Amino acid sequence: MREVCQSASLVLHSSSVKAQIRKAINNLYDAYDEVGGKHYTLRIKGKKLPLEDFEYNPLAVGDYVEFTPYSETEGLITARLERKSAFVRWNVKLEKNQTIAANMDQVAIITSAFEPPFRPRFLDRALSCVQSCDVIIVMNKCDFDLTEEEFERWALYHKLGYRIIAVSAATGENIEEFKDLLRGRTTAFVGQSGVGKSSLVNLIIRPEKKQVTGEISQKYQRGRHTTNHALYLERDDIRIIDTPGVRELLVPYEDKSVLADSFIEFSRYAGECEYSSCTHSTEPGCAVIRALEEGLIDPDRYTSYLGLLDSLESRKPGYLRTKFRKNKQ
Ligand code: GDP
Ligand code: ZN
């Protein structure tokens, strides 16, 4: 009997299995095979997977991979399966695009009302990193008041069609409503350091744990969840890909028209621009600029767009250097 089992598992080992990356640290990947209900530790076969030009990391948390098991719990990744969505930022140091999370249904961009203050520029940059999924814009620390100007700017995202929600990890305000938006879906949490992202994740994933403030938590780090790498977490029907807090998020390298797509209010007019490849900046006959002049597009959002367009242009020469054409890992 034992022999039969062993040969059956050998057959299994030789065939390819599909799994989802749940944690990625130093070329070691924790992955979950949903069909077999098993966790594996995986490495990339030959330490290389094909990369797109200017892509830094071949795999991110949320990616589906094919792998060949070589033991009950280990295997070699042979391929990354197509992504349905991603959160991708520009990594300044590496001068490459870095995928932070993949295959989520939505991204929750966490901002805060105070310390750090609400930064619409940061939010617009974060929105430009979202590829092919829904967005929830979360204002944490709503136990603090926004200035009237900040409130107007925040409410603008609602007018533009984004789902927005104000919550407080400290008082628990609107947390149940927020959880309702997360249920049944996989959500990547992203945000600037200090906005309270860890507090929110802890509250949702480990509500039974007493929540503590930043200062006190220094002493009680064990058991409290903080992040320096992306991590897949789940509880009940809520699945979260928590990502490290960042100081800044920069728009990934991409076609300029893709950047314009992340300014959703432009789309209504962009089709009427005189040039099909219009960047809505200097071109004559630009319908987006016309809409701006007619007060149909918010001037601050447009300024924000120009800033992002500028940052894409100033990066351009880097790509022409041949060393970035190699798929180094
Ligand atoms: P992260 O860097 O985004 O993970 O932020 P943390 O969760 O570590 O929170 C940063 C600081 O903000 C800590 O001192 C928290 O106690 C505090 N904080 C988090 N959420 C809230 C909130 O809703 N209201 C208030 N007043 N403080 C909060
Ligand atoms: Zn245009």
Side-chain angles (χ1 to χ4, degrees):
M1 184 63 194
R2 174 181 278 178
E3 266 175 31
V4 174
C5 288
Q6 274 179 350
S7 62
S9 74
L10 280 178
V11 171
L12 178 71
H13 288 171
S14 64
S15 64
S16 177
V17 180
K18 185 179 147 184
Q20 188 180 34
I21 304 293
R22 297 282 164 101
K23 196 158 93 180
I25 304 174
N26 298 335
N27 297 324
L28 259 189
Y29 301 93
D30 279 5
Y32 184 63
D33 157 23
E34 281 165 35
V35 178
K38 274 175 68 178
H39 283 273
Y40 285 88
T41 302
L42 305 178
R43 288 176 183 76
I44 296 173
K45 190 174 184 199
K47 292 220 168 147
K48 279 210 168 163
L49 280 184
L51 289 169
E52 311 252 324
D53 272 357
F54 322 121
E55 189 183 26
Y56 158 60
N57 52 334
L59 294 173
V61 171
D63 264 325
Y64 284 98
V65 293
E66 264 177 11
F67 70 98
T68 313
Y70 60 81
S71 80
E72 282 299 322
T73 56
E74 294 159 297
L76 290 176
I77 297 169
T78 49
R80 175 178 93 201
L81 304 183
E82 203 179 324
R83 288 175 176 151
K84 73 167 188 184
S85 65
F87 187 85
V88 183
R89 69 161 178 147
W90 179 250
N91 187 312
V92 174
K93 267 199 215 138
L94 301 162
E95 292 196 284
K96 288 184 176 182
N97 284 347
Q98 181 176 12
T99 303
I100 307 290
N103 295 320
M104 55 279 180
D105 303 303
Q106 55 190 8
V107 175
I109 303 174
I110 318 292
T111 67
S112 72
F114 186 63
E115 282 184 342
F118 176 53
R119 286 177 59 207
R121 290 285 182 280
F122 183 97
L123 183 46
D124 288 340
R125 279 197 284 269
L127 287 167
S128 76
C129 299
V130 178
Q131 297 180 355
S132 314
C133 66
D134 293 339
V135 171
I136 307 174
I137 298 172
V138 182
M139 173 74 72
N140 187 36
K141 309 196 190 182
C142 75
D143 46 306
F144 289 108
D145 287 331
L146 292 175
T147 65
E148 206 165 308
E149 200 182 316
E150 284 171 335
F151 182 81
E152 286 296 314
R153 192 63 173 75
W154 150 250
L156 173 65
Y157 290 94
H158 174 65
K159 285 190 209 145
L160 295 178
Y162 285 105
R163 174 162 268 162
I164 67 173
I165 183 166
V167 301
S168 170
T171 66
E173 194 174 339
N174 274 345
I175 294 296
E176 285 309 313
E177 288 78 355
F178 184 33
K179 280 162 86 170
D180 287 343
L181 299 179
L182 304 178
R183 224 162 259 127
R185 312 195 85 191
T186 303
T187 309
F189 275 45
V190 302
Q192 192 185 352
S193 318
V195 293
K197 188 167 61 62
S198 316
S199 304
L200 286 171
V201 169
N202 277 300
L203 204 56
I204 294 161
I205 298 293
R206 299 191 183 90
E208 63 282 351
K209 265 224 147 54
K210 194 172 160 359
Q211 300 302 312
V212 288
T213 65
E215 303 90 79
I216 300 168
S217 73
Q218 303 293 326
K219 279 194 263 171
Y220 300 100
Q221 274 304 334
R222 267 154 53 116
R224 185 175 191 269
H225 163 80
T226 51
T227 321
N228 51 23
H229 47 79
L231 201 55
Y232 185 102
L233 303 159
E234 62 188 320
R235 184 184 179 106
D236 304 329
D237 202 16
I238 294 178
R239 297 179 295 280
I240 292 176
I241 300 177
D242 192 17
T243 71
V246 287
R247 229 162 17 106
E248 202 42 272
L249 277 173
L250 299 177
V251 55
Y253 172 69
E254 59 195 352
D255 197 289
K256 287 176 194 156
S257 66
V258 177
L259 171 63
D261 289 346
S262 74
F263 285 76
I264 53 178
E265 67 271 44
F266 293 6
S267 62
R268 186 183 299 181
Y269 313 104
E272 288 156 34
C273 294
E274 208 168 297
Y275 297 98
S276 61
S277 59
C278 188
T279 64
H280 322 304
S281 54
T282 52
E283 296 88 342
C286 172
V288 171
I289 296 177
R290 199 160 52 235
L292 173 77
E293 286 164 356
E294 288 167 10
L296 300 169
I297 283 176
D298 182 81
D300 195 48
R301 278 273 290 177
Y302 184 71
T303 306
S304 188
Y305 167 72
L306 288 185
L308 293 186
L309 193 63
D310 235 28
S311 62
L312 275 189
E313 282 180 351
S314 63
R315 261 180 229 154
K316 195 87 190 237
Y319 303 111
L320 304 176
R321 278 179 269 157
T322 49
K323 72 170 184 169
F324 295 114
R325 297 222 159 264
K326 291 208 182 111
N327 290 339
K328 275 207 316 197
Q329 280 182 47

